[in-house]
Amino acid sequence: MQTKTFFINLLILVFLASIAPVTSESLSTVNIEAKTNTPPDHKKMAEYYEKEAKEMSAKADEQKKLLDEYDLHSYYYGREGQIFQSHHEALFNKYKKAAERNSEMAAAHREMAKKR
């Protein structure tokens, strides 16, 4: 009985391993950056990073508005207000840094497009 269970489990394991997705080349930004060789490619990457920077800036602005609202009316939030404040400060800092990084990447790609 144990050998039968063992072979069934082995069969299931082999089946699950065979249907697992195999990643050959994903479309991550790292792979795309490695393939950018021409100025138009760098311009596209710069536009992509600028778009991402704008989105992150918009999210940071939204978090800043929430923090300003909290500062004006902190008495509405009670004890959970400190958790609310620290959470939104962390999100604000995260989005702000991401916007800065994306702006730097856009500038780097624009510079590379000019060099080529």
Side-chain angles (χ1 to χ4, degrees):
M1 188 67 177
Q2 287 181 343
T3 57
K4 186 177 180 180
T5 306
F6 172 75
F7 284 114
I8 290 173
N9 287 335
L10 182 64
L11 182 65
I12 291 171
L13 181 64
V14 169
F15 175 73
L16 290 175
S18 68
I19 64 170
V22 178
T23 58
S24 59
E25 283 191 38
S26 64
L27 289 176
S28 68
T29 56
V30 175
N31 289 340
I32 293 172
E33 286 178 15
K35 294 178 183 177
T36 56
N37 294 326
T38 62
D41 291 338
H42 286 291
K43 288 179 183 177
K44 287 179 186 176
M45 288 301 296
E47 290 171 4
Y48 168 78
Y49 281 117
E50 286 174 352
K51 178 183 158 213
E52 289 294 314
K54 287 178 185 176
E55 288 178 11
M56 292 297 121
S57 293
K59 288 182 179 184
D61 291 341
E62 182 180 331
Q63 296 301 319
K64 184 66 176 164
K65 287 178 186 176
L66 289 171
L67 285 170
D68 291 341
E69 174 63 26
Y70 172 77
D71 287 340
L72 290 175
H73 305 287
S74 61
Y75 50 87
Y76 287 159
Y77 296 93
R79 290 182 150 195
E80 290 81 24
Q82 292 174 342
I83 296 170
F84 176 88
Q85 183 182 19
S86 64
H87 173 72
H88 289 285
E89 281 178 354
L91 285 176
F92 172 72
N93 290 331
K94 175 184 170 184
Y95 292 140
K96 190 170 127 182
K97 287 178 185 177
E100 290 171 1
R101 281 193 309 267
N102 285 331
S103 295
E104 291 170 3
M105 290 296 291
H109 278 285
R110 291 246 183 249
E111 194 65 31
M112 290 182 83
K114 288 179 184 177
K115 287 181 182 179
R116 292 181 179 200

